[in-house]
Amino acid sequence: MRETYRVAIAGATGAVGVEFLRLLEYRHFPISELRLLASARSAGKTMRFARREVLVEELTEDSFANIDIAFFSAGGSISKKYAPIAAQAGAVVVDNSSAFRMDPRVPLVIPEINPEAIAGHNGIIANPNCSTIIAIVPLWPIHRQNRIRRLIAATYQAASGAGAAAMEELRESTRAHLEDREYANTVLPHPYAFNLFSHNSKIDPVTGYNEEETKMVQETKKIFGDAEIRISATCVRVPVLRAHSEALTFECERPITPAEVREILAAAPGIKLIDDPVKNYFPMPKDASGQDDVLVGRIRQDISDPSGKSIAMFVAGDQLLKGAALNAVQIAEVMVAKALLQGAAAKR
Amino acid sequence: MRETYRVAIAGATGAVGVEFLRLLEYRHFPISELRLLASARSAGKTMRFARREVLVEELTEDSFANIDIAFFSAGGSISKKYAPIAAQAGAVVVDNSSAFRMDPRVPLVIPEINPEAIAGHNGIIANPNCSTIIAIVPLWPIHRQNRIRRLIAATYQAASGAGAAAMEELRESTRAHLEDREYANTVLPHPYAFNLFSHNSKIDPVTGYNEEETKMVQETKKIFGDAEIRISATCVRVPVLRAHSEALTFECERPITPAEVREILAAAPGIKLIDDPVKNYFPMPKDASGQDDVLVGRIRQDISDPSGKSIAMFVAGDQLLKGAALNAVQIAEVMVAKALLQGAAAKR
């Protein structure tokens, strides 16, 4: 008989939480019990899972008794407080926040890149930042064959990265703009309708980079296991709902051609090549939304590097899926496949 | 008595044409006669200029008799046909299209950078591409002090670059999206509501770069008078109405610091520093719209270049103003100031 697991979702009612429910159902994650956790404000609601209504409970210190795996997506401070409690109670936590990502005791995992890191966990596994995941899923197979020495990234990030309320603010402020009404933004720091702005995370006073950019730099080094890779990112929020795009320019150790990159990516998991210069059809948020794969296109030799070692390309990926919930569920699936989870049956 | 000039605008009813009228009026360009030219479809309309209504006439081969200066913004094919006719008739043409930009007999001018090139014209002066102007107005004063060797640009381009109809398509398709209605795009090749896409210009089958990107490369070399500068651009249309933003990463000949860049830019014309890391306030399209200056911020050392020669920054500029009509009017103003135009008085 197939092993089944008792699963909790902390932050079940958020933009990522909703995707967790959907993914666990349609990917047939072997669930024996599902516990939906949220703030007191959302407790008492029900959410649909596998043709039944599941009650949302308030997240407390007692929420994780007899849980095998707990997905966290309720922000850094909730993770900081409750993830260790869940781990202590015996659950393996897959945490979507940035709280533990750079902790050397916590594996930071993208299953296409470093699934082997999962086994070394101490109760918490961190899910990387969305912009990092979407950039480096396609960079990794290239890096493995011809080490990437330098990456310059400019992001085009969707509202979803700031949560469901930010998506709603984008919709509502745009509606107001079109109707020539005033709109006072409350979720994001700047007007969002037909506007864009530098990512609204804190700027490091020494480097001048914001936290989102610094995450891309540090997390990539940790996930690649390569402290030498040099990265600069410019992270920008654009008025798009749920898929991030990124312009990536990278320099390899040895010369590399667009044809080689295409061949490498065509054989790599988690990637779909959308690269049609004749039809002018390339990765777009509208196509990436709802898709598991990261879309990659505009693959060309970087003409600003005469050494022939540099490539420019453009990627798009669903921020809520591969950028968040899907990657976390894939981590859990690796644990199931490798029997790294204590199943409910085993504990009974 | 102050010299006055007979001015024609070809493409007066377009998005840029409207800005020409506004700029010529509020900058008090010394006009003795204004001729508004457009397609037969728009002929017979009137447009307001200096508290009177001016009739729009159909653009024909006879439109340029007794004109001193003709601003063209009606697309490349109109410029190709009528600009030489206007020049032949004695007008100086300032052309907004790409038709003559790379012609070695035609000066390609940004007044903050190479005003001296104007004098060498043979009847036609070209106005650079909008993305080029907005990137290189702030790069030039840096280049003069510490030569820029390499530039990597990622653009966030507004609808206005594709004209008034594209702006309307962005508004209408977004309205439809919010009302859950279908919308069939007719102006741009891809759905635009809450979406973005690689710039809709032809891709060079050899380089893989699109025309917009290639313009940035070639025009910068011509305007800077520097064939050695190495440039790679990724040009992307974002759902913004009329200001382009760009993430610029550049490498100089010698080490350079963000403080030096700020000092250089603070003293340079046509630029406004908007660079407040504490308030997280940086250049945004909403602030650049309607502004003459290019906004510059996010100035920081590029941490991917350990030599200390590279800087990353973010710029935004009004595509219709400095990116198009304003730059052209400024070219005309230089001609007036340097008495390079045959004034109406002189001809009478």
Side-chain angles (χ1 to χ4, degrees):
Chain A
M1 195 192 125
R2 195 180 177 207
E3 189 102 7
T4 58
Y5 303 89
R6 295 163 302 195
V7 173
I9 301 174
T13 56
V16 176
V18 169
E19 298 299 327
F20 270 128
L21 254 77
R22 223 174 48 77
L23 288 166
L24 292 171
E25 178 170 347
Y26 93 79
R27 294 174 74 93
H28 305 292
F29 194 85
I31 293 182
S32 58
E33 186 190 330
L34 179 64
R35 202 171 293 166
L36 303 182
L37 306 167
S39 65
R41 196 165 34 88
S42 293
K45 281 182 58 173
T46 63
M47 296 178 79
R48 200 158 184 84
F49 178 78
R51 275 168 289 161
R52 59 199 175 88
E53 293 295 323
V54 183
L55 189 71
V56 177
E57 304 168 49
E58 184 183 352
L59 171 63
T60 70
E61 300 193 4
D62 304 321
S63 295
F64 301 96
N66 300 316
I67 288 295
D68 299 306
I69 182 157
F71 297 103
F72 271 70
S73 186
S77 56
I78 297 289
S79 289
K80 260 187 200 128
K81 178 168 178 191
Y82 291 100
I85 292 170
Q88 189 60 41
V92 176
V93 172
V94 181
D95 182 31
N96 261 324
S97 84
S98 62
F100 300 99
R101 286 182 194 146
M102 296 313 298
D103 186 327
R105 294 161 305 176
V106 175
L108 182 64
V109 178
I110 299 176
E112 289 88 345
I113 301 181
N114 61 341
E116 72 287 350
I118 293 171
H121 77 80
N122 295 290
I124 302 175
I125 297 164
N127 204 49
N129 168 270
C130 46
S131 302
T132 308
I133 297 176
I134 290 161
I136 75 176
V137 163
L139 291 177
W140 172 250
I142 301 164
H143 185 73
R144 281 184 70 188
Q145 300 212 16
N146 189 345
R147 197 173 155 211
I148 294 173
R149 307 300 308 269
R150 184 186 185 189
L151 166 66
I152 292 170
T155 72
Y156 302 70
Q157 297 186 223
S160 57
M167 296 171 77
E168 193 53 22
E169 183 159 290
L170 174 55
R171 281 194 208 90
E172 281 313 304
S173 61
T174 304
R175 199 188 306 272
H177 188 286
L178 289 168
E179 293 169 2
D180 217 7
R181 284 187 284 112
E182 291 288 315
Y183 182 91
N185 47 300
T186 56
V187 181
L188 289 165
H190 303 293
Y192 207 174
F194 302 115
N195 191 33
L196 58 80
F197 46 88
S198 182
H199 192 277
N200 51 302
S201 54
K202 203 166 158 267
I203 306 276
D204 183 313
V206 176
T207 65
Y209 284 78
N210 63 40
E211 284 175 353
E212 184 82 356
E213 293 160 355
T214 305
K215 286 174 190 173
M216 289 185 72
V217 174
Q218 296 179 335
E219 294 180 17
T220 301
K221 290 181 183 189
K222 180 168 176 175
I223 298 164
F224 277 13
D226 180 352
E228 304 298 313
I229 186 169
R230 294 177 277 115
I231 301 174
S232 174
T234 300
C235 289
V236 177
R237 266 204 208 289
V238 295
V240 162
L241 286 162
R242 64 174 280 173
H244 287 359
S245 306
E246 307 186 30
L248 305 175
T249 304
F250 57 92
E251 182 192 328
C252 292
E253 202 159 47
R254 303 183 310 278
I256 185 165
T257 67
E260 287 173 301
V261 170
R262 261 179 226 110
E263 197 185 323
I264 292 168
L265 293 180
I271 292 161
K272 188 179 283 177
L273 284 175
I274 304 283
D275 202 9
D276 189 337
V278 174
K279 291 194 179 141
N280 215 311
Y281 208 106
F282 302 108
M284 288 188 279
K286 83 161 185 64
D287 290 342
S289 295
Q291 279 246 2
D292 289 355
D293 289 334
V294 175
L295 312 183
V296 186
R298 295 296 327 271
I299 300 167
R300 60 210 192 275
Q301 199 88 46
D302 166 9
I303 50 172
S304 76
D305 178 2
S307 76
K309 294 178 185 172
S310 294
I311 294 286
M313 64 190 200
F314 194 73
V315 303
D318 190 309
Q319 189 274 330
L320 296 173
L321 294 179
K322 188 59 190 172
L326 174 63
N327 194 71
V329 170
Q330 287 171 325
I331 290 170
E333 289 170 347
V334 172
M335 285 191 281
V336 168
K338 295 191 178 171
L340 293 170
L341 276 181
Q342 282 278 68
K347 284 187 188 166
R348 264 196 295 268
Chain B
M1 197 191 124
R2 195 180 175 205
E3 191 102 6
T4 57
Y5 303 89
R6 295 162 300 194
V7 174
I9 301 175
T13 57
V16 175
V18 169
E19 298 299 327
F20 270 128
L21 254 76
R22 223 173 48 77
L23 288 166
L24 292 171
E25 177 169 349
Y26 94 78
R27 293 173 76 92
H28 305 291
F29 194 84
I31 293 182
S32 58
E33 186 190 330
L34 180 64
R35 202 170 294 166
L36 303 182
L37 306 167
S39 65
R41 196 163 35 87
S42 293
K45 280 182 60 173
T46 63
M47 296 179 78
R48 198 157 186 85
F49 178 77
R51 275 167 289 162
R52 59 199 175 89
E53 294 295 323
V54 182
L55 189 70
V56 177
E57 303 168 48
E58 185 182 352
L59 171 62
T60 70
E61 300 193 4
D62 304 322
S63 295
F64 302 96
N66 300 316
I67 288 295
D68 299 306
I69 183 158
F71 297 103
F72 272 69
S73 187
S77 55
I78 297 288
S79 289
K80 260 187 201 129
K81 178 169 177 192
Y82 291 100
I85 292 170
Q88 189 60 42
V92 176
V93 172
V94 181
D95 181 32
N96 260 325
S97 83
S98 62
F100 300 99
R101 286 183 195 146
M102 296 314 298
D103 186 326
R105 295 161 302 177
V106 175
L108 181 65
V109 177
I110 298 175
E112 289 87 345
I113 301 180
N114 61 341
E116 71 288 349
I118 293 172
H121 76 80
N122 294 291
I124 302 176
I125 297 164
N127 204 50
N129 167 270
C130 47
S131 302
T132 309
I133 297 176
I134 290 161
I136 75 176
V137 164
L139 291 177
W140 172 251
I142 301 164
H143 185 73
R144 281 184 68 188
Q145 302 212 15
N146 189 345
R147 195 172 155 213
I148 295 173
R149 307 299 309 269
R150 184 186 186 190
L151 166 66
I152 292 170
T155 72
Y156 302 70
Q157 297 185 222
S160 58
M167 296 171 78
E168 193 54 20
E169 183 158 292
L170 174 55
R171 281 194 208 91
E172 281 313 305
S173 61
T174 304
R175 199 188 303 274
H177 188 284
L178 289 168
E179 293 168 1
D180 217 8
R181 285 188 283 112
E182 292 288 317
Y183 182 91
N185 46 300
T186 57
V187 181
L188 289 165
H190 303 293
Y192 207 174
F194 303 116
N195 192 33
L196 58 80
F197 46 88
S198 182
H199 192 277
N200 50 302
S201 53
K202 202 167 160 268
I203 306 276
D204 182 314
V206 176
T207 65
Y209 283 78
N210 64 40
E211 283 174 354
E212 185 82 355
E213 294 160 354
T214 305
K215 285 174 190 172
M216 289 185 72
V217 174
Q218 296 179 336
E219 294 180 17
T220 301
K221 290 181 182 188
K222 179 168 176 174
I223 298 164
F224 276 14
D226 180 353
E228 304 298 313
I229 187 170
R230 294 177 277 115
I231 301 174
S232 174
T234 299
C235 288
V236 177
R237 267 204 208 290
V238 295
V240 162
L241 285 162
R242 65 175 280 173
H244 287 0
S245 306
E246 307 186 29
L248 305 176
T249 305
F250 57 92
E251 182 192 328
C252 293
E253 202 158 47
R254 302 183 310 279
I256 186 165
T257 67
E260 286 173 302
V261 171
R262 259 178 228 112
E263 198 186 322
I264 292 168
L265 293 180
I271 292 160
K272 188 179 282 177
L273 284 174
I274 304 283
D275 202 10
D276 189 337
V278 174
K279 291 194 180 142
N280 215 311
Y281 208 106
F282 302 109
M284 289 189 277
K286 82 161 184 66
D287 291 342
S289 295
Q291 280 246 1
D292 289 355
D293 289 334
V294 175
L295 312 183
V296 186
R298 294 298 326 271
I299 300 167
R300 61 209 193 275
Q301 200 88 47
D302 166 9
I303 50 172
S304 76
D305 178 2
S307 76
K309 294 179 185 171
S310 295
I311 294 286
M313 64 190 200
F314 195 72
V315 303
D318 190 308
Q319 188 274 329
L320 296 173
L321 294 179
K322 188 60 189 172
L326 175 62
N327 194 71
V329 170
Q330 288 171 325
I331 290 171
E333 289 171 345
V334 172
M335 285 191 282
V336 168
K338 295 192 180 170
L340 292 171
L341 276 180
Q342 282 280 67
K347 284 186 189 166
R348 264 194 296 267

